[in-house]
Amino acid sequence: QVQLVESGGGLVQAGDSLKLSCTCSRGTFSRLVMGWFRQAPGKEREIVAAISYAGGRTHYADSVKGRFTISRDNAKDTAYLQMSDLKPDDTAIYCCAARYGWGISEYNYWGQGTQVTVSS
């Protein structure tokens, strides 16, 4: 069973940067498509970004394009979300997720989430 653990959340000010990490265990990380999702209070969960097995294909939500970058290091079984120029609207719980086969929905494995709070 794939297990995912996020880290790197916190409280920052608008315009700051933050990097989230998601470490995978009990799975073949290099065969997994990785995604980052977020859910703000009172809102539905939305996909933020996704990356294919070797990193050659990525997807971003329109709201984060040009500000967030998803990446992965298969040697470290870790995916990352580099967030720049953060805005108060980026405040949410961020979860990483994994699935087999490319897709931006219907992920099978989820981390517990990490809180990101952006103050104005």
Side-chain angles (χ1 to χ4, degrees), residues 52-99:
S52 59
Y53 315 119
R57 183 176 183 178
T58 57
H59 167 83
Y60 293 95
D62 288 342
S63 59
V64 306
K65 282 181 181 177
R67 299 189 298 121
F68 290 11
T69 302
I70 190 170
S71 62
R72 65 190 297 158
D73 186 340
N74 287 349
K76 296 182 178 180
D77 293 343
T78 302
Y80 305 96
L81 185 68
Q82 176 68 52
M83 304 183 291
S84 302
D85 190 22
L86 283 160
K87 307 176 185 302
D89 284 348
D90 294 319
T91 295
I93 296 174
Y94 285 71
C95 293
C96 68
R99 57 170 287 162

Side-chain angles (χ1 to χ4, degrees), residues 7-106:
S7 61
L11 172 63
V12 297
Q13 293 186 333
D16 284 351
S17 297
L18 201 60
K19 188 173 185 177
L20 306 182
S21 299
C22 173
T23 301
C24 175
S25 60
R26 299 186 182 181
T28 305
F29 182 73
S30 61
R31 297 177 60 188
L32 292 166
V33 172
M34 299 300 298
W36 284 96
F37 291 75
R38 69 184 181 186
Q39 186 166 19
K43 295 185 178 180
E44 293 187 355
R45 184 171 63 195
E46 62 174 347
I47 187 165
V48 176
I51 188 167
S52 59
Y53 315 119
R57 183 176 183 178
T58 57
H59 167 83
Y60 293 95
D62 288 342
S63 59
V64 306
K65 282 181 181 177
R67 299 189 298 121
F68 290 11
T69 302
I70 190 170
S71 62
R72 65 190 297 158
D73 186 340
N74 287 349
K76 296 182 178 180
D77 293 343
T78 302
Y80 305 96
L81 185 68
Q82 176 68 52
M83 304 183 291
S84 302
D85 190 22
L86 283 160
K87 307 176 185 302
D89 284 348
D90 294 319
T91 295
I93 296 174
Y94 285 71
C95 293
C96 68
R99 57 170 287 162
Y100 292 103
W102 178 255
I104 59 172
S105 64
E106 299 180 354

